Structures are given as structure tokens and as C-alpha cells.
Amino acid sequence: RGRKEEAYKALAWFRGASRPEYIEPEIRTIQKSIEESQAKSATLRDLLTPSVLKPLGVSLALMLFQQLGGINAVMFFSSTIFESAGSDLDPNVSSIIIGSVQVVFSMVTAGLVDRLGRKPLLFISDTGMAICLTALGVFFYLKEVKNDGDVPDGLGWLPLVSLILYIVSYNLGLGSLPWVMLGELIPNHLKGLAGGIGNSFNWGLAFIVTRSFADLSSALTPQGCYWLFAGICCVGSAFALLIVPETKGKSLDEINALFK
């Protein structure tokens, strides 16, 4: 925006530099990148070049795992899940607890993302979600198959604890990092176009998962549905570990160079 002095101060604080001139080379690199992006006009054809298509594919894949991990289905149907689980706690109170946990751990993630890095948090997030969904599926399996619809002895706490830890795991990585990665991986002049595609893709998936959740539960049984989501989360863990690049501490040019 042409506010160069403020940019110096902000980047010096972000990098922990005692004097603004220490970050002069990086400021020049950023300014050059911005000038180049402003000189270009974004087109759909630009998205098909390998150096852009690859990072866009990574970003969209993270959004795929975010939504197919079942987060919106679980959030929107949480009171129904507790009701069908036969929990002693009021389903509406349980939903409030889950929502509160989501708010708190969204803030926790903001403090961790530049300390631990993107890959570890995404891996921990997907793995934690898979474990929690598996446990929830086991509860419903024992309830319906082994106990003829009765709550398994001593396991009345399991649905609430599983869903709280599921929300914690989600917010540690998958809740926000797909959007962070989209902003970091895509070249400046294509961020707006890629962001529009990412939003449409993400919320299109959210609609599909939410709309089909009740039908999936009927067709696969609740436990089968949760185990399906858990399996997708396991694939997401492998994807985060093997495919997603680490962008912690890298400049935009260094990140773009990863895909060229």
C-alpha cells in the first residue's frame, strides 16, 4: 500500500530484528514480488501452469480433507448425536460445550502455527480426528450391536469426550491451516482467483457432507459413517506427512521456488 516505513517496522518485529535495516534484503524481495504481481493480470489459464497447479492442488486437497473429515456434519448434528448416544448430559448443553472448545482452541492454534510449523500441526490434527471418530464409532457399535440399543456400561462419557477431543484436534490444524496454506502457496497475482476457487470448493463440499450425513448414517449405520470419516482423516495424515511442503519461516519467493 506504499507504507514502506510501517512495513519495515512490522517485518522487523515479525523477524525479531533489533533494527529495521537488518531486514532490508527481504523488504526489497517482497516489494519486487508485489510490483511483479501488480503488473500481471490473473487468468484461468495461469492456474494450469505446473508451478501454480501443484500448490493449488495441495491447497484444495487440504480443504477436501478438512470437509470430508466430517467437521460440519458433526457440528450441525452434534445435539442429534448426543441424543442418539443416550448421554446423561442435555444434548444442547453438550453442543454449547463443543462450541466453546472450538473458540478456545482456535486461539491456541494462532499461537502455535509459527512455532511448530504447518506439517506437524496438520498431521497431529488429522491423526487426532481419526482416533476420536474411531472411538465414537466403537461406542455406537457397542451400543447397537452388543447392548441392543442400551448405553454400554461405564461408557456414557465417551461421546462427549470423543467429540471434544475431535474439535480440539480439528482446530489445532485443519480448522485454519488450509486457508493459511492457500495464502502462502499461491503467487501474489493469483491469490484472488485461487481464493475464490478455494472458497467455492470448500463450501460446496461442506454442503454435500452436511446434506448427505443423515442418509450416510442410515445406509452405513452411525458407526460406519464415523469410521468412514476416520479413514479419510488417516489418508489426510499421510498426505500432510508426505506431500504438504513446510512453509514455516519461508518467504513468498522461497515458497514459490518449491514448485518450479
Side-chain angles (χ1 to χ4, degrees):
R1 296 177 179 271
R3 291 150 54 186
K4 193 169 182 179
E5 186 176 341
E6 292 176 61
Y8 268 89
K9 290 179 181 178
L11 189 62
W13 172 84
F14 185 67
R15 294 300 185 205
S18 57
R19 297 172 62 182
E21 51 265 34
Y22 291 159
I23 44 85
E24 175 75 34
E26 188 173 359
I27 279 284
R28 284 201 300 267
T29 301
I30 292 172
Q31 190 164 6
K32 180 182 176 184
S33 176
I34 291 171
E35 289 169 355
E36 288 176 353
S37 69
Q38 289 175 340
K40 299 175 183 177
S41 58
T43 65
L44 286 172
R45 182 176 294 178
D46 293 333
L47 294 176
L48 299 179
T49 58
S51 61
V52 177
L53 193 59
K54 291 176 186 175
L56 180 61
V58 169
S59 301
L60 294 181
L62 289 175
M63 293 183 180
L64 181 87
F65 292 120
Q66 180 193 61
Q67 292 298 339
L68 295 191
I71 182 61
N72 280 304
V74 168
M75 290 299 293
F76 295 156
F77 288 91
S78 57
S79 59
T80 306
I81 292 170
F82 286 118
E83 200 171 315
S84 59
S87 173
D88 295 333
L89 195 62
D90 184 280
N92 294 315
V93 173
S94 301
S95 298
I96 292 169
I97 292 171
I98 286 176
S100 302
V101 169
Q102 186 171 29
V103 172
V104 171
F105 277 87
S106 294
M107 293 186 286
V108 169
T109 303
L112 291 176
V113 66
D114 279 319
R115 295 185 182 184
L116 299 181
R118 282 64 163 154
K119 283 174 72 78
L121 283 176
L122 285 167
F123 177 76
I124 292 168
S125 180
D126 261 316
T127 303
M129 289 168 66
I131 293 170
C132 294
L133 287 167
T134 301
L136 191 62
V138 168
F139 174 86
F140 277 95
Y141 174 78
L142 293 175
K143 178 177 180 288
E144 294 184 14
V145 177
K146 298 293 185 181
N147 288 56
D148 296 324
D150 295 330
V151 176
D153 292 338
L155 291 180
W157 52 270
L158 187 57
L160 180 60
V161 171
S162 295
L163 288 185
I164 287 177
L165 293 179
Y166 171 81
I167 296 298
V168 169
S169 300
Y170 172 80
N171 281 287
L172 282 177
L174 275 184
S176 57
L177 289 184
W179 303 106
V180 172
M181 299 296 285
L182 180 67
E184 290 181 334
L185 296 179
I186 305 300
N188 278 330
H189 70 290
L190 291 169
K191 286 190 194 299
L193 184 58
I197 292 172
N199 269 286
S200 302
F201 181 72
N202 190 295
W203 291 109
L205 286 172
F207 169 76
I208 292 169
V209 171
T210 307
R211 176 65 184 82
S212 62
F213 178 67
D215 294 332
L216 273 175
S217 293
S218 298
L220 301 178
T221 70
Q223 59 267 27
C225 194
Y226 301 131
W227 288 336
L228 173 63
F229 289 150
I232 293 170
C233 288
C234 289
V235 177
S237 296
F239 182 82
L241 197 63
L242 301 174
I243 306 296
V244 176
E246 180 56 75
T247 57
K248 175 187 172 184
K250 289 184 170 63
S251 68
L252 291 174
D253 281 354
E254 288 173 329
I255 292 169
N256 291 338
L258 293 172
F259 297 98
K260 290 182 179 177

